[in-house]
Amino acid sequence: MHVYGTELRSRLLLGTAQYPSPAVMVEAIQASATEVVTVSLRREGAGGEQGMAGQRFWDVLRPLNLRVLPNTAGCHSVKEAVLTAHMAREVFDTRWIKLEVIGEHDTLQPDVFGLVEAARILIADGFQVFPYTTEDLVVAGRLLDAGCEVLMPWGSPIGSGRGLNNVYGLRTLRAHFPEVPLVVDAGIGLPSHAAQAMELGYDAVLLNTAVAGAGDPPRMAKAMAQAVEAGRAAFLADPVRARDMAAPSTPVLGMPVFS
């Protein structure tokens, strides 16, 4: 997968929140074989005790030689998201930013109006934006017009583990933008959900809670990595299409008839 001129061999992006311990997080990251981890700047805040804790956390990640994708998680306004993105660029020395502008508290659904506005501002300032969005085609078009080169539609609400709530919408988004890198972000709970996303032709999956909240995070991380690879291979194999009627898998022509 190519994003903003960077080639990624792994199609699994992994979050770094909610693990039982830093050691378990590192083991899970290594088991996943991911090349990109997301980090919420709110945990990496500069200054005071929070800044010291953030520096220790960054010291744990740095030896893993991964790409960091800072996240404006928890931002509910354009101003807040833009400010957080600028802080992230200073802390992590990267132009990449996973842009979240949350519009609804219960579902954490993106505020797509604010998202497009924030994306325009950040891209004009040199950021390479990974927008957390919905599967809405019009919003997708607006984000691409703003300069986004990748889209990250949700599968279902963050942390819900419900999988893909709107398969039709995700499939339609893929069909309308065949050349755009698409990453299913949020709601993945099982390896089968990740495989399904990849079978739809998506380029990657980003998840956190499904691994961090599992009883054995490293084992689940490995399972997710295997599922992503299997789903991608299935998509490339051009699977058979679903039918309404049965179709015999054993040929009947030339079979002997016994009387």
Side-chain angles (χ1 to χ4, degrees):
M1 178 176 72
H2 286 82
V3 286
Y4 291 112
T6 298
E7 181 179 4
L8 300 175
R9 292 165 296 177
S10 172
R11 295 177 182 271
L12 176 62
L13 289 67
L14 197 61
T16 56
Q18 301 178 339
Y19 287 88
S21 70
V24 171
M25 179 193 68
V26 169
E27 190 177 350
I29 290 172
Q30 293 173 329
S32 75
T34 187
E35 297 171 83
V36 178
V37 292
T38 62
V39 178
S40 171
L41 189 69
R42 292 176 176 274
R43 185 174 54 211
E44 303 307 313
E49 294 183 4
Q50 185 182 12
M52 293 176 61
Q55 184 60 51
R56 289 194 294 269
F57 182 81
W58 183 222
D59 289 342
V60 170
L61 283 179
R62 189 179 287 111
L64 300 179
N65 195 29
L66 301 167
R67 273 193 168 271
V68 173
L69 178 59
N71 185 2
T72 64
C75 292
H76 291 261
S77 70
V78 172
K79 181 178 180 180
E80 188 180 11
V82 169
L83 176 61
T84 302
H86 279 89
M87 292 172 59
R89 184 163 63 180
E90 293 181 12
V91 172
F92 296 107
D93 190 25
T94 179
R95 296 166 62 198
W96 281 17
I97 190 73
K98 180 190 170 190
L99 181 61
E100 291 187 21
V101 182
I102 301 301
E104 206 282 322
H105 290 278
D106 292 331
T107 64
L108 300 181
Q109 180 168 329
D111 171 1
V112 295
F113 305 102
L115 180 67
V116 172
E117 182 182 351
R120 285 201 182 101
I121 294 170
L122 291 173
I123 289 168
D125 196 26
F127 283 88
Q128 295 174 328
V129 175
F130 294 67
Y132 167 63
T133 183
T134 67
E135 65 276 21
D136 186 282
L137 295 177
V138 177
V139 175
R142 296 289 189 273
L143 288 167
L144 295 174
D145 290 343
C148 295
E149 296 183 13
V150 58
L151 299 174
M152 304 180 71
W154 65 346
S156 54
I158 294 172
S160 68
R162 295 179 58 86
L164 308 186
N165 272 355
N166 185 2
V167 173
Y168 169 80
L170 292 171
R171 183 182 289 116
T172 302
L173 186 67
R174 176 74 285 175
H176 274 69
F177 303 103
E179 305 302 323
V180 176
L182 298 179
V183 181
V184 169
D185 176 15
I188 299 296
L190 295 170
S192 57
H193 300 157
Q196 184 183 22
M198 301 302 293
E199 289 167 2
L200 293 176
Y202 276 70
D203 296 282
V205 169
L206 193 160
L207 54 88
N208 186 168
T209 306
V211 169
D216 187 337
R219 178 170 291 184
M220 182 60 78
K222 183 176 181 179
M224 288 293 184
Q226 293 170 332
V228 166
E229 290 298 320
R232 180 64 179 176
F235 171 74
L236 295 176
D238 189 18
V240 297
R241 301 295 179 256
R243 297 168 56 97
D244 291 329
M245 302 295 289
S249 57
T250 303
V252 295
L253 185 65
M255 291 183 63
V257 176
F258 298 97
S259 58

